[in-house]
Amino acid sequence: MSKVWLLVLAAVCHGISSNGVVTNSSTRPDVVNVGAILSYKSIIGKVAKVAIEAAVEDVNSDPTVLPGTKIELTMQDSNYSGFLSIVEALKFMEKDTVAIIGPQQSVTAHIISHIANELQVPLLSYSATDPTLSSLQFPFFVRTAQNDLYQMAAIADLVNYYGWREVIAIYVDDDHGRNGIAALGDKLAEKRCRISYKAPMSPDPTRDEITDLLVKVALMESRIVVLHTYAGPGPVVLNVAQYLGMMGTGYVWIATNWLTTLLDTNAPLDSDAMDDFQGVITLRMYAPDSELKRKFVSRWNNLTSGKSTNGSFGLSSYGLYAYDTVWLLAHAIDAFFNQGGIISFSNDSRLTELHGGSLNLGAMSIFNGGNLLLQNILQVNMTGVTGPIKFNSDRNFIYPAFEVINVIDTALRRIGYWSNYSGLSVLPPEMLYAKPPNRSSESQRLYPVIWPGQTTERPRGWIFPNNGRHLNIGVPKRVSYREFVSQIEGTDLFKGYCIDVFTAALNFLPYAVPYKLVPFGDGINNPSSSELVHLITTGVYDAAIGDIAIITNRTKIVDFTQPYVESGLVVVAPVRRLNSNAWAFLRPFTPMMWGVTAIFFLIVGAVVWILEHRINDEFRGPPKKQVVTVLWFSLSTLFFSHKENTVSTLGRLVLIIWLFVVLIIVSSYTASLTSILTVQKLSSSVKGIESLIDSKDPIGYQQNSYARNYLVEELGIHESRLVPLNMPEDFAEALKKGPRGGGVAAVVDERAYVDLFLSTRCEFSIVGQEFTKAGWGFAFPRDSPLAIDMSTAILRLSENGDIERIHDKWLTRSACTSQSTTFEVDRLQLKSFWGLFLICGLACLLALIVYFILMVRQFSRHYSDDFESSSRSSGSKSFQTFLTFVDEKEEEVKNRSKRRQMEKASNRSVGEDESTNSSKRRYTESCSSKSLDRCEEA
């Protein structure tokens, strides 16, 4: 702020004066004073001057806008000087200026905006595109063109669309350049891209300064260059780049809209000048085609006739926005008057209190209606030559859009559009506004581009710079499992499986990679791969190759290639061979399984006996015979050779279910026993990682392996149980000793190491399943393009079989690992069959319940009289009677029941005869005591 006011005071000292009184005008004055600050001879200024003058003339001649009031425009030429722009802005305050169009440059706009805030005079700039000018710090600054924030978003989408990840930014080191590139960095970060190198230059650089800057850029890895500058130094930069060979194949130049402004204004350029721009991609602020635009474009030649000594000049997009700025201001002033606004000015009391020398600070007056006019400016909703004009909440135009231009020969070829609504498209933005926004990668599209060097093949975007520097690639200096990677003694060379895969992948790349392998480790212990990967992030190494596992913590800081080895964690334990013996037939089932099966044989036999005993003669007889029958029937069902027939429905139901259970059990037993007797088995007390977690035995792991952190952090195994081991011999010795002899119960290591370890040690084996999924890859810095190309090369190696051939060369399997042996599978347990036993048990229980109900009903029906006659008898006697009834054969019960029914019938007939004779005797005796006549009548 102090620098701003020093400039203000300096300007006042150059003769600014005022009477210092408050001035007022009528509600609708005849004239409204508007100022404009621009550089007449600049590329933007000469176009804007003509456009602004034409707009003022059109507004003043249109009776529908500002009726009865004319805009009195005062233009001042800043002549490329920021200081003069400030002086001209202060001069406007003498003439009761209500608004200022300009300034032209963002740098000047930052300073004059402080004055506009103090004096409440709106600034309307059609060319100051610095994104930070839209901040809350400058409420009276109104941008009437597209914000550079959106231009940088378009460039970021271009970079992402073509699959690049790093760019180099060349820019003018002022507010316009710095803030624009800062916005570009933010937009690139949203796409996981970045600016790898920033190359600032002075606003007015010499050719030598530009040459020195481009030489530094040429030494960089990235070949995507974003040039954000002005129309003055921009062509010089491209000319020097052409001279240095930086406009050839492999380079990509993206210029901001300064290039289209230059070409649109000065077209046609001579062929020598156009040669410097070939293949460049640039942007142009988009104005949709309309009747208003076509009319204004057709007038342009007449408007520019005689305006320049060099003849007429072209119309750039800045001219269109300058023209609309005047119309926008006119509509806002008209609304201001319609709302009762009054043009009045008053002195700033803080300035009038200052005294000293000949400074007349009272010349700077405050526009009392400035806030109201500003609100009306931001609420304008109109259609101009640039299309719909309306501000959003951020004081930027709605629907920001740009044309994407490719410079070819002497023409500008439009390859598409960019809009903040739908991104990149070959369709005009206004055609997409009626559709839902779609920013998916599939919807992004541009027409083909002719790149620098007259090629249509998309540049890779980076190369290894020709600065004599090699890639420093870290390689672990292993002391064990040297088949994977090892340093040749006395040399700087390395060999091994990983090294051969790396060199084979390099041969598939379409470019040379200068590199140097640097050993990492002390040669005594195996180095930590995590430390090696971390050194990439600090810049010690440019990459790392070797047996480096791809795990989560490492992928957060570096990029890995496609895995070339699949290698998860496994458990290795001592094993013993299980040979067939005299009791091998008992091995298929666990003791619990044998016991439950035997019990069910007896249960089913007993249930069938109960259900068949009363009706089937084969299940009757002396107790000894019945016991033998039950046992024989039960065991014979195992071979489906039972000779006893079942008669009852319930018995047959139980037997069918039981035979199905027996079929499953016998089939499973046969399959398991066949495997035991025909295939050699391995057995171990450790069954897998689960059994290790549940036990308290020590566990070995390879020193500096990620297995340790996984066991502790992921599986919760206490550190005290973990034993670091270095060499394969240490593994073997610790496993042989076992936990009781000071060794370990098992070793947890990566599958690739374990396969090599077991190739010559048959007394150990992998137990359980591989409990993590990982792989080995080559590590590169984040977003390194070399990682992507190497991944593609590794896939090609895998497809053509080269990786398998390299594997066979270094990691040949011995006969030990190819033996026809399998690890002992778990014995068949009860949990595998409990469902079958449950169904069978429920069937038996249900059959017994139904049978019991039927017996009770039958018993109660046959012995109902006995119960009535012996109702006072004891319950134990009734129960004994029921048991006797159940034990009786059903035919006997039925016969006895028939006899009882016949006896009851005969007894009933005898009783009826006796009753008839008795009634006759009583009647005769009665008549004897009466007269004979009455008896006859009766």
Side-chain angles (χ1 to χ4, degrees), residues 152-444:
M152 298 308 171
I155 293 176
D157 279 351
L158 278 171
V159 172
N160 183 65
Y161 174 77
Y162 289 111
W164 302 315
R165 286 292 171 262
E166 294 183 356
V167 304
I168 294 174
I170 301 176
Y171 60 97
V172 175
D173 194 11
D174 60 8
D175 290 338
H176 171 72
R178 286 191 301 270
N179 296 331
I181 293 303
L184 175 62
D186 294 339
K187 294 300 180 181
L188 287 172
E190 294 176 4
K191 307 293 183 181
R192 279 203 66 185
C193 305
R194 68 186 185 97
I195 300 175
S196 61
Y197 181 71
K198 294 181 179 180
M201 61 183 178
S202 65
D204 190 17
T206 65
R207 188 176 182 87
D208 290 339
E209 291 174 345
I210 293 175
T211 301
D212 293 340
L213 182 142
L214 291 182
V215 168
K216 295 179 181 178
V217 170
L219 296 178
M220 298 296 109
E221 182 179 278
S222 176
R223 286 295 180 261
I224 314 299
V225 183
V226 176
L227 183 56
H228 183 47
T229 179
Y230 301 111
V236 182
V237 173
L238 293 178
N239 180 261
V240 175
Q242 178 79 8
Y243 174 76
L244 295 176
M246 298 174 64
M247 295 295 293
T249 304
Y251 277 91
V252 175
W253 286 83
I254 303 176
T256 50
N257 62 340
W258 64 265
L259 182 55
T260 52
T261 302
L262 173 67
L263 297 178
D264 289 340
T265 305
N266 295 339
L269 293 178
D270 60 79
S271 58
D272 292 338
M274 289 298 294
D275 287 343
D276 298 335
F277 307 145
Q278 295 303 300
V280 176
I281 294 179
T282 183
L283 300 174
R284 176 195 286 149
M285 289 187 288
Y286 176 66
D289 188 28
S290 64
E291 184 66 24
L292 286 174
K293 179 182 176 182
R294 288 194 294 270
K295 288 182 178 179
F296 184 70
V297 172
S298 65
R299 293 171 53 196
W300 186 252
N301 287 335
N302 294 331
L303 292 174
T304 57
S305 178
K307 298 292 185 179
S308 173
T309 57
N310 297 327
S312 61
F313 45 86
L315 174 62
S316 67
S317 56
Y318 285 110
L320 298 176
Y321 280 99
Y323 181 83
D324 278 347
T325 299
V326 176
W327 278 93
L328 185 154
L329 180 59
H331 282 283
I333 294 175
D334 186 49
F336 172 82
F337 288 139
N338 291 336
Q339 295 174 10
I342 299 175
I343 298 178
S344 63
F345 295 84
S346 60
N347 291 336
D348 191 339
S349 59
R350 292 176 297 177
L351 295 178
T352 56
E353 293 175 359
L354 297 176
H355 302 283
S358 59
L359 298 178
N360 189 1
L361 300 178
M364 292 179 290
S365 56
I366 298 175
F367 178 29
N368 297 326
N371 280 305
L372 180 59
L373 179 59
L374 176 64
Q375 293 176 9
N376 282 284
I377 290 174
L378 297 177
Q379 292 174 1
V380 167
N381 187 0
M382 57 171 278
T383 300
V385 297
T386 59
I389 295 177
K390 185 179 179 180
F391 292 95
N392 60 21
S393 58
D394 295 328
R395 294 186 296 158
N396 293 314
F397 280 156
I398 60 172
Y399 301 141
F402 290 85
E403 296 177 74
V404 184
I405 306 296
N406 183 206
V407 181
I408 304 174
D409 296 329
T410 59
L412 301 181
R413 175 173 171 265
R414 183 172 58 215
I415 60 173
Y417 304 88
W418 177 92
S419 69
N420 195 46
Y421 187 77
S422 294
L424 300 171
S425 172
V426 294
L427 298 176
E430 62 269 19
M431 296 180 63
L432 302 175
Y433 294 147
K435 302 177 182 179
N438 187 358
R439 299 298 293 267
S440 64
S441 59
E442 294 79 8
S443 67
Q444 306 298 291

Side-chain angles (χ1 to χ4, degrees), residues 610-611 614 650 844-862 882 885-886:
I610 292 173
L611 298 176
R614 299 184 72 246
L650 293 177
C844 293
L845 180 62
L846 180 62
L848 290 177
I849 292 174
V850 173
Y851 180 77
F852 177 75
I853 293 173
L854 294 176
M855 289 299 100
V856 170
R857 290 179 60 188
Q858 189 177 7
F859 177 75
S860 62
R861 186 170 59 252
H862 290 295
F882 177 74
F885 170 77
V886 171

Side-chain angles (χ1 to χ4, degrees), residues 14 33 79 129 180 196 201 223 250 281 335 337 391 396 439 595 670 674 683 692 698-699 763 775 790-791 872 885 935:
H14 279 72
N33 294 323
N79 197 23
T129 55
S196 61
M201 61 183 178
R223 286 295 180 261
I281 294 179
F337 288 139
F391 292 95
N396 293 314
R439 299 298 293 267
T670 303
T674 301
S683 176
L692 281 181
I699 303 171
E763 66 271 25
M790 286 294 288
S791 293
R872 297 180 181 178
F885 170 77
C935 289

Side-chain angles (χ1 to χ4, degrees), residues 695-706:
S695 70
K696 301 298 181 182
D697 295 332
I699 303 171
Y701 69 94
Q702 187 177 174
Q703 191 174 25
N704 288 324
S705 169
Y706 80 93

